[in-house]
Structure formats: C-alpha cells, structure tokens
Amino acid sequence: MHTDHPTSSHTASNTNVLTQALWVGLTLSIAIGVGGYASLTWGETVSQLLTSTDKHFWYLSRASGVIAYTLFWLAVIFGLLLSTRLGKRFNAARVFVLHQYLSLIAVGFAAFHAGILLADNFLNRNLWQVLMPFGFQTERVGVALGQLGFWFLFICAFSFYIKQYIGQSAWRWLHFLTFMAYMFISIHVFMVGSDSRALPLLLFYAGSQTIVFLLITYRIIALKQAR
C-alpha cells in the first residue's frame, strides 16, 4: 500500500506558500516602482491638481473604478482561458493563481472606489447608501447595477476559500455569478462612469467586453461540440 510521506507533503505545501508570497511580493514591488516613477514624473502636476479642486475624493473614486474594472476584466479573461481549450497553451496553475488573486485585488479596488465617496462632502453619502443597491437617489439603476456587481464579485472572489466545504459542483455553480457581476459592472460603467465618455476609455471598455463576449461564445460552442 502506498502512502504519501508527510514530510514531502509539508515541504510541497511550504513551497507553494513561498511561491505565492514571491508572486505577491513581485507584484507589490512592480506597483511600488511604477507608483514611485509616476510620483517623481507627475507628482508636481498631481499636487497642483489636488490643491486647485475640491473634488479629490471624486477623482480618487473614478481612478480606482477604472483600475477595479481592469483587474476584474483580467480575472474574467484568465478564468475563461482555464475553462476553454485555449488554457492548455498556458501553465494552468499560474493562470488559476492569477485568476484568484486578480479577483481579490479587484474587490479591494472596487471597495475603495465606493468607500472613498463617504469622504466626499459634496455627495454626502452614508455607508448604507454606498453598500445597498438603490441607496443612491440619483442614477439609481446604473449605480445599483454596480453595487450588485460588486457583491456578486465579492462572493465569487471569496468562494475560493469555501470551495473545500461546499464541493466542486456547488462551487462551479456559485462561480457563474462572475458572469452576472461582469455584465452588471459593464452596464454600470457605461451608465454612470463619466470617464467612459472619453474616447480612449470608451474604446478600452468596448474592446475588453468584446473579447469577453468572444471567449464566452467560444466556450459555449466548445461545450456543444464536446457533447
């Protein structure tokens, strides 16, 4: 009878943790480097902008919203690559880790995107309005779709940590909420996002959503052919 050696399993576990820690450290290092370069290059301009306007928190919310959408889009792309034949061309383990961590980081930026508005004295929102759908009195439908998308994303991102308790089948069904989240957030971007009127961002949003649509179509066709 074959049994796994406990020392080998423990060593493998430590190696996985170390690898993940290195990836996180590398990501943070790159982010700090880019942020430092940006501060040195455009710091004075940004400082002038912040001191010449009272919309600091509004600008922070807009910027973090774009970042959150981009990270979420990448997480969806990696997830679709894993679920199609296209994923065979990549290292599945690394793609899965990217899919997981990008989802978590997207949740963080999305939470900041909404939470920073609590400090905006012009909007004067409370925590209940920020967290609950239809809490806003203006642009209620567009904002509510974004709030619902955030909660669906939150559930999907943290479902990785309850997968072992609910089972693979239930987890896969729960993970389909990702598509609902992406759809709601995409509509939210076009209905509410003031930056979406800028041509570069408009092209990015349209292009990114087209790629997701094509990958979903490819996945559906591949599933039908497999049957």
Side-chain angles (χ1 to χ4, degrees), residues 27-44 46 67:
T27 303
L28 290 175
S29 299
I30 294 174
I32 292 172
V34 173
Y37 175 79
S39 298
L40 292 174
T41 307
W42 301 297
E44 184 176 353
V46 172
I67 295 173

Short mmCIF file of all heavy atoms in Angstrom, two decimals, residues 27-44 46 67:
data_model
loop_
_atom_site.label_atom_id
_atom_site.label_comp_id
_atom_site.label_asym_id
_atom_site.label_seq_id
_atom_site.Cartn_x
_atom_site.Cartn_y
_atom_site.Cartn_z
N THR A 27 4.59 41.48 -7.41
CA THR A 27 3.52 42.38 -7.85
C THR A 27 3.56 43.70 -7.10
O THR A 27 3.45 44.78 -7.70
CB THR A 27 2.14 41.70 -7.64
OG1 THR A 27 2.11 40.46 -8.35
CG2 THR A 27 1.03 42.61 -8.15
N LEU A 28 3.73 43.61 -5.77
CA LEU A 28 3.81 44.83 -4.97
C LEU A 28 5.03 45.66 -5.34
O LEU A 28 4.96 46.90 -5.39
CB LEU A 28 3.84 44.47 -3.48
CG LEU A 28 2.54 43.92 -2.90
CD1 LEU A 28 2.76 43.50 -1.45
CD2 LEU A 28 1.42 44.94 -2.99
N SER A 29 6.16 45.00 -5.61
CA SER A 29 7.38 45.71 -5.99
C SER A 29 7.19 46.48 -7.29
O SER A 29 7.60 47.64 -7.42
CB SER A 29 8.55 44.73 -6.12
OG SER A 29 8.81 44.08 -4.90
N ILE A 30 6.55 45.81 -8.26
CA ILE A 30 6.30 46.47 -9.54
C ILE A 30 5.36 47.66 -9.34
O ILE A 30 5.57 48.75 -9.89
CB ILE A 30 5.70 45.48 -10.55
CG1 ILE A 30 6.74 44.40 -10.91
CG2 ILE A 30 5.23 46.20 -11.81
CD1 ILE A 30 6.20 43.30 -11.79
N ALA A 31 4.30 47.45 -8.53
CA ALA A 31 3.34 48.52 -8.27
C ALA A 31 4.01 49.71 -7.59
O ALA A 31 3.78 50.87 -7.94
CB ALA A 31 2.19 47.99 -7.42
N ILE A 32 4.86 49.41 -6.59
CA ILE A 32 5.56 50.49 -5.89
C ILE A 32 6.51 51.21 -6.83
O ILE A 32 6.63 52.44 -6.81
CB ILE A 32 6.33 49.92 -4.67
CG1 ILE A 32 5.33 49.41 -3.61
CG2 ILE A 32 7.25 50.97 -4.07
CD1 ILE A 32 5.99 48.66 -2.47
N GLY A 33 7.19 50.44 -7.68
CA GLY A 33 8.11 51.05 -8.65
C GLY A 33 7.39 51.96 -9.63
O GLY A 33 7.83 53.09 -9.88
N VAL A 34 6.28 51.46 -10.18
CA VAL A 34 5.51 52.28 -11.12
C VAL A 34 4.94 53.52 -10.42
O VAL A 34 4.97 54.63 -10.95
CB VAL A 34 4.37 51.44 -11.74
CG1 VAL A 34 3.46 52.33 -12.58
CG2 VAL A 34 4.95 50.33 -12.61
N GLY A 35 4.43 53.29 -9.19
CA GLY A 35 3.88 54.42 -8.43
C GLY A 35 4.95 55.46 -8.10
O GLY A 35 4.71 56.66 -8.19
N GLY A 36 6.15 54.98 -7.72
CA GLY A 36 7.24 55.90 -7.43
C GLY A 36 7.67 56.70 -8.65
O GLY A 36 7.90 57.91 -8.58
N TYR A 37 7.76 56.01 -9.79
CA TYR A 37 8.14 56.70 -11.04
C TYR A 37 7.08 57.74 -11.41
O TYR A 37 7.42 58.87 -11.81
CB TYR A 37 8.28 55.67 -12.16
CG TYR A 37 8.53 56.30 -13.52
CD1 TYR A 37 9.81 56.74 -13.87
CD2 TYR A 37 7.50 56.45 -14.44
CE1 TYR A 37 10.05 57.33 -15.10
CE2 TYR A 37 7.72 57.03 -15.67
CZ TYR A 37 9.00 57.46 -16.01
OH TYR A 37 9.22 58.03 -17.24
N ALA A 38 5.80 57.35 -11.25
CA ALA A 38 4.72 58.29 -11.58
C ALA A 38 4.75 59.51 -10.65
O ALA A 38 4.52 60.64 -11.09
CB ALA A 38 3.38 57.58 -11.48
N SER A 39 5.04 59.25 -9.36
CA SER A 39 5.10 60.37 -8.41
C SER A 39 6.22 61.34 -8.75
O SER A 39 6.06 62.56 -8.67
CB SER A 39 5.28 59.83 -6.99
OG SER A 39 4.19 59.01 -6.62
N LEU A 40 7.39 60.78 -9.12
CA LEU A 40 8.52 61.63 -9.47
C LEU A 40 8.28 62.39 -10.77
O LEU A 40 8.70 63.53 -10.94
CB LEU A 40 9.79 60.78 -9.59
CG LEU A 40 10.33 60.17 -8.28
CD1 LEU A 40 11.49 59.24 -8.58
CD2 LEU A 40 10.76 61.27 -7.32
N THR A 41 7.58 61.72 -11.70
CA THR A 41 7.37 62.33 -13.02
C THR A 41 6.22 63.33 -13.02
O THR A 41 6.34 64.43 -13.58
CB THR A 41 7.09 61.23 -14.07
OG1 THR A 41 8.14 60.27 -14.01
CG2 THR A 41 7.02 61.84 -15.47
N TRP A 42 5.10 62.94 -12.40
CA TRP A 42 3.91 63.79 -12.46
C TRP A 42 3.48 64.29 -11.08
O TRP A 42 2.38 64.82 -10.94
CB TRP A 42 2.75 63.00 -13.07
CG TRP A 42 3.05 62.50 -14.45
CD1 TRP A 42 3.32 63.24 -15.57
CD2 TRP A 42 3.16 61.13 -14.85
NE1 TRP A 42 3.57 62.42 -16.63
CE2 TRP A 42 3.48 61.13 -16.25
CE3 TRP A 42 3.00 59.91 -14.20
CZ2 TRP A 42 3.65 59.94 -16.95
CZ3 TRP A 42 3.16 58.74 -14.90
CH2 TRP A 42 3.49 58.76 -16.26
N GLY A 43 4.33 64.10 -10.09
CA GLY A 43 3.95 64.47 -8.73
C GLY A 43 3.55 65.93 -8.58
O GLY A 43 2.56 66.25 -7.94
N GLU A 44 4.32 66.82 -9.19
CA GLU A 44 4.03 68.24 -9.07
C GLU A 44 2.70 68.60 -9.73
O GLU A 44 1.91 69.36 -9.20
CB GLU A 44 5.16 69.05 -9.70
CG GLU A 44 4.99 70.55 -9.53
CD GLU A 44 6.17 71.32 -10.09
OE1 GLU A 44 7.17 70.67 -10.49
OE2 GLU A 44 6.10 72.55 -10.14
N VAL A 46 0.15 66.55 -10.24
CA VAL A 46 -0.93 65.98 -9.43
C VAL A 46 -1.17 66.83 -8.19
O VAL A 46 -2.31 67.08 -7.79
CB VAL A 46 -0.60 64.53 -9.03
CG1 VAL A 46 -1.62 64.00 -8.04
CG2 VAL A 46 -0.54 63.65 -10.27
N ILE A 67 -9.39 51.12 -12.42
CA ILE A 67 -8.44 50.07 -12.06
C ILE A 67 -9.19 48.79 -11.66
O ILE A 67 -8.81 47.69 -12.06
CB ILE A 67 -7.53 50.54 -10.91
CG1 ILE A 67 -6.66 51.71 -11.38
CG2 ILE A 67 -6.64 49.39 -10.42
CD1 ILE A 67 -5.86 52.35 -10.27
#
